Each structure stands twice: as structure tokens, then as C-alpha cells.
Amino acid sequence: MAERGILAFLIILLTVLVFAQPYLAWPVRHMFERSAGLTDANKLAIDNESLRAENAILRERNTVIPPQFSSEKEANVFVRYPFNYKKELLIDIGKNSDVKEGDTVLLPDTSSGEKRGILVGRVESVQDKTSLVQLIFDSRLRIGVRIGDQGVEALLTGGDTPKLTLIPKSAQVGSGNIVYAASANLPYGVVIGEIKDVSLADGGLLQEATLRFPYELSDIKTVVVTR
Amino acid sequence: MKKTFTLFLFLIATIALQLSWLRIFGWTPEFLIALLVAITIFVNLHEMALFVLLAAALVDWQPMLSMDMLALLLIPFFIFALRRASPWNIWAGTALFAILSVCIFYAAAGIPREVLGSRIFILNGLLSAALSIGFVFLLKVVGLRPERRLFAR
């Protein structure tokens, strides 16, 4: 009888926890998700890629158009999506900090005092004190991008290994070329990463490429939300 | 009480394994879904509710209840009912229900159709089936016995 009583009490307690106070269990999650954070090498690589993206845009357009941000808010990562295929983060700012759906989420370039950074995702939904961020590694994500000095257009398809697709066969792209955003719902020119390998797509009419990123997804502890 | 404690330890260890695996490798076998499918053999409805809610509380990642979370809460009960209504042998049923659970979970989560049809996804389903069978075997080894109602028919 006592055993049944304990069981019923635990079920009620957990129901309240799951439906009303889910954040109370997040400290337990942190024990399993601890990470070292970005290393100095990661930060240097982010700075380097941001500068190379600006140079690429300079050569492509003959003018520098740095990404324009009207606001920047720093946020800490609470928890991550615990399964596969979706890559989402919950951050600790929301409507209380004027975050809106579609805002751009960056890993900031910390060395220069300028507003630069590398794109990690965009805000998917906003609550009062938290926001859910869809990362570029999410299999549902599609972003229009440009590659290198020539500004070759391509489509970034998210996933565990994000890929660039729809690259024209005649385009001169190769390992090390910088990739930056060229999508209506993102600031133009925000750097995403650099090309790792290029190959012919199925059918041989187009090229596709894999990307190299200057950070590890699991090391992201703080981000900057921009608009 | 021994059964509840054993399953509690298994659940905590499985969640720790899944989250750590995901952090280290960026991808994880479906340890949690496989375990939840496996324990439907060993528990009654109240115990099922306890473990499903505990799992949901520990892996929930946002303040609002999402479709993914709803699927994680409901799928084990669906499998629980299906097991008691179907004539499947424990091992074959476990494999089949693990694959079914993974498919339902990711379809509910809104994963694109091309991903759900990919070779990686199919392999993930097969791996989940193997894991679920492994969990049933382990739980039997540590002394748990399947619910008698499973064999009522």
C-alpha cells in the first residue's frame, strides 16, 4: 500500500515538473552536457574567417558591406536538443530582452571591437525568458549562401554534416573558400564557415561541397543574438 | 521495489549515456527510446507512467511542451498497449516496436521526409532494434521478469 502511495506521489510530482516547471531538471542535464567552451584556437579561427569573409565580399563587390546589426545581446546556452537530426539550443534571453523570431545568432568575434561573428543559427521561437535557436546543423535548415571572392551562389542544407548544394559545375570553388550568408532573412555577408571538400553531385551536372567550421558544436556556451 | 530501483538506475545511466554520446560525437544511438520500448515488457501501467515522466523531465529542453516531447510521452504507452494486444514474440516484438517508435518519434518531430527515407535513418532504426533487444536481455540478466499479463492471450 505504501509502495503504491509513493508511486502515485512520484507520478504527480513528475507530471508537474514536466508540464509546469521543466527548467527545474536542467541542472541535472548540465552534469551530462558539461563542455570546456571555445578554446583560444577556436576564437582565433572565428576572427580569421570573419576577416576573410569581409575580404571576399570586398573583392566580389569592390566595396565592403559588413553585416548590419541594429542590436546585439549576449546569451548563455541552457540546454540542447537531446536527440538526433534536429539541432536546437535554448538560450537564457527572450521577450524580456526584445528577442524576436528570426533573429540571427552568432558566435562573436571577440578580438576586434567590431560587430563581427560567425553564424550558428537563428531564433526559432521566443518565450518570456528563453528563446529556442535552430542551428545550421539542423536537418530542416536551408539557407542561400555565396562562396569565395567570386560570390558563387549555393544552397546550404543543414544536417550533422552540413552540405552546399546546387553549385554550378563551371564555378571555380575549392577547399578553403569562405562561405557567407546571402539569404533574405539573414544579414548579408555573415560568415558561416569554409569549404572542406568539393565533389560532383549525383548526375554530374552540379557540384556539392562539405564545410569546415572553426568551432565544435558542443563547445558553444555563449552566443550573441543580433538583428 | 527492487524492480523500480533497477529500472531507475538503468534510465539514469541511459540518459547520461545518450547526452554524453551526443556531446562527444554529435550523433547518438537512440538509447532512450530503445530502453523505453524494452521496459514496456517489465512494468505495469503505473510504473510505465513513472519512468516515461522521469525520462521526459530529464531530457526536456524547452519550457513549452513540444511535439517531440509529446511523442516521447505517448509512444511508450502506445507500445505498452500494442504489446498486450498483439501476438508477437518478445524478441521480434521488441525489434519491431523499437523501429516503429523511432519512426513515429522523428515523424512527429517534423524531420524532413528525405531524412526519414535516408540510409542513415534506416540504419538508426535497425540499431535501435538491436539496442532494445540488448536492453531486454540485460534487464532479464539482472533478474527482472516480464509482466505476466503479456502472456495472458
Side-chain angles (χ1 to χ4, degrees), chain A residues 55-75:
Chain A
N55 284 336
I57 297 168
L58 170 66
R59 289 196 203 98
E60 179 217 339
R61 294 205 157 186
N62 238 2
T63 174
V64 180
I65 309 173
Q68 301 291 310
F69 304 124
S70 60
S71 69
E72 276 194 355
K73 296 151 209 129
E74 201 167 299

Side-chain angles (χ1 to χ4, degrees), chain A residues 3-4 6-7 10-12 14-15 17-20 22-23 25-26 28-29 32-35 79-90 125 127 130 132 138-140 142 157 160 216 218, chain B residues 1 4 12 15-16 18-20 22-23 26-30 32-33 46-47 49-50 53-54 56-65 68 72-73 105-106 109-112 114-115 120-121 124:
Chain A
E3 206 172 301
R4 280 194 169 191
I6 294 170
L7 200 62
L10 287 175
I11 289 172
I12 293 167
L14 285 169
T15 307
L17 191 66
V18 169
F19 290 97
Y23 54 86
W26 292 343
V28 181
R29 288 277 300 273
F32 308 130
E33 290 183 337
R34 235 174 245 165
S35 69
V79 279
R80 297 152 201 273
Y81 186 71
F83 299 97
N84 294 308
Y85 308 112
K86 273 188 186 180
K87 298 289 175 196
E88 293 174 339
L89 300 175
L90 190 77
S125 64
Q127 305 298 323
T130 57
L132 195 65
D138 190 303
S139 63
R140 297 165 298 163
R142 306 283 182 276
T157 307
D160 287 331
E216 286 292 329
S218 57
Chain B
M1 206 63 186
T4 311
I12 298 293
I15 290 173
Q18 172 143 347
L19 295 176
S20 307
L22 192 63
R23 179 173 59 80
W27 179 88
T28 172
E30 309 295 346
L32 181 57
I33 293 177
H46 298 102
E47 291 163 337
L50 178 72
L53 283 165
L54 183 60
L58 288 175
V59 298
D60 199 0
W61 73 101
Q62 54 170 306
M64 299 297 287
L65 191 69
D68 318 49
L72 188 75
L73 285 167
F105 178 78
Y106 284 112
I111 302 303
E114 64 262 28
V115 175
I120 297 275
F121 187 79
N124 191 19

Side-chain angles (χ1 to χ4, degrees), chain A residues 143-147 151-156 164 179-183 192:
Chain A
I143 299 176
V145 298
R146 286 180 183 270
I147 306 167
V152 175
E153 290 179 0
L155 180 72
L156 172 71
L164 296 180
V179 177
Y180 52 93
S183 177
I192 293 171

Side-chain angles (χ1 to χ4, degrees), chain B residues 49-87:
Chain B
L50 178 72
F51 290 114
V52 168
L53 283 165
L54 183 60
L58 288 175
V59 298
D60 199 0
W61 73 101
Q62 54 170 306
M64 299 297 287
L65 191 69
S66 60
M67 275 303 288
D68 318 49
M69 222 57 230
L70 202 60
L72 188 75
L73 285 167
L74 295 179
I75 287 170
F77 289 103
F78 173 62
I79 301 299
F80 182 87
L82 212 57
R83 264 199 200 281
R84 280 147 183 83
S86 66

